[in-house]
Amino acid sequence: MVCLGNICRSPMADGLMRKKVAENNLDIVVDSAGTSGFHVGEAPDNRMRETAKGRNTPIDDLRARQFSVDDFDNFDIIYVMDSSNLKNILSLSRDENDRQKVKLILNESHPGKDLEVPDPYYGGERGFHEVYDMLDEATDVILEKLINGKR
Ligand code: 4NP
């Protein structure tokens, strides 16, 4: 799960997916990273953590890191939150195999629409709940595909 800072959107996607994977006893590694190094080592943004806690998906233990080219080798699917993340990650790709791993996460819940998870960082509290809802819906679809072997 990849966003810009790895303190709002991608840790929320990471926390939701980890929880669903654990609840379903799946043997799948979930992680997140930012395209930038601005917040490396930091816990998720307080507002995202409060939203997450209030909705029973705490993400307090996660720490930001920056995406690295090794992630193309270590992961089978790389979900990005918006088109800027997509561009940044594709610019690091080495070959077609890398590029095929990168997907806009909302295309899971809204196929072919190329919708983006909006950056909630400079907005109000409501934005964090909207991000949570979008990612909850998308990770439900991903989980379903994992269970059915379509991923
Ligand atoms: P994120 O949100 O990409 O969802 O983690 C942001 C966090 C920090 C900044 C931008 C977006 N920032 O510019 O510091």
Side-chain angles (χ1 to χ4, degrees):
M1 302 299 187
V2 173
C3 63
L4 174 61
N6 193 209
I7 55 169
C8 297
R9 294 165 293 174
S10 62
M12 194 64 256
D14 184 352
L16 279 160
M17 201 67 236
R18 276 178 201 229
K19 181 172 123 174
K20 292 173 191 189
V21 160
E23 283 169 354
N24 288 275
N25 298 313
L26 297 172
D27 186 17
I28 289 168
V29 176
V30 181
D31 200 7
S32 61
T35 57
S36 81
F38 300 153
H39 297 279
V40 168
E42 293 179 22
D45 184 282
N46 270 326
R47 299 162 295 174
M48 196 75 258
R49 279 162 62 185
E50 285 308 306
T51 300
K53 214 175 294 177
R55 302 186 68 176
N56 205 24
T57 315
I59 53 170
D60 301 317
D61 293 345
L62 300 179
R63 293 294 175 270
R65 70 178 181 90
Q66 187 168 17
F67 184 89
S68 99
V69 174
D70 291 348
D71 288 314
F72 284 117
D73 298 322
N74 295 333
F75 294 92
D76 298 314
I77 314 177
I78 297 163
Y79 288 111
V80 297
M81 303 295 133
D82 64 28
S83 56
S84 163
N85 309 149
L86 183 64
K87 191 172 132 232
N88 288 326
I89 295 297
L90 289 178
S91 76
L92 297 173
S93 67
R94 300 156 301 184
D95 55 26
E96 194 51 33
N97 189 47
D98 285 354
R99 283 187 277 283
Q100 279 187 1
K101 295 184 174 188
V102 190
K103 298 168 194 298
L104 276 169
I105 192 166
L106 292 188
N107 276 344
E108 296 294 333
S109 42
H110 303 274
K113 295 243 165 71
D114 290 347
L115 298 177
E116 304 184 303
V117 182
D119 184 347
Y121 191 67
Y122 296 105
E125 189 192 330
R126 201 171 126 213
F128 289 85
H129 284 281
E130 286 167 0
V131 164
Y132 183 97
D133 288 334
M134 290 175 188
L135 294 174
D136 194 24
E137 187 184 23
T139 51
D140 272 347
V141 178
I142 296 168
L143 177 74
E144 203 62 31
K145 288 185 180 175
L146 290 170
I147 289 172
N148 294 325
K150 290 182 181 149
R151 272 288 140 81

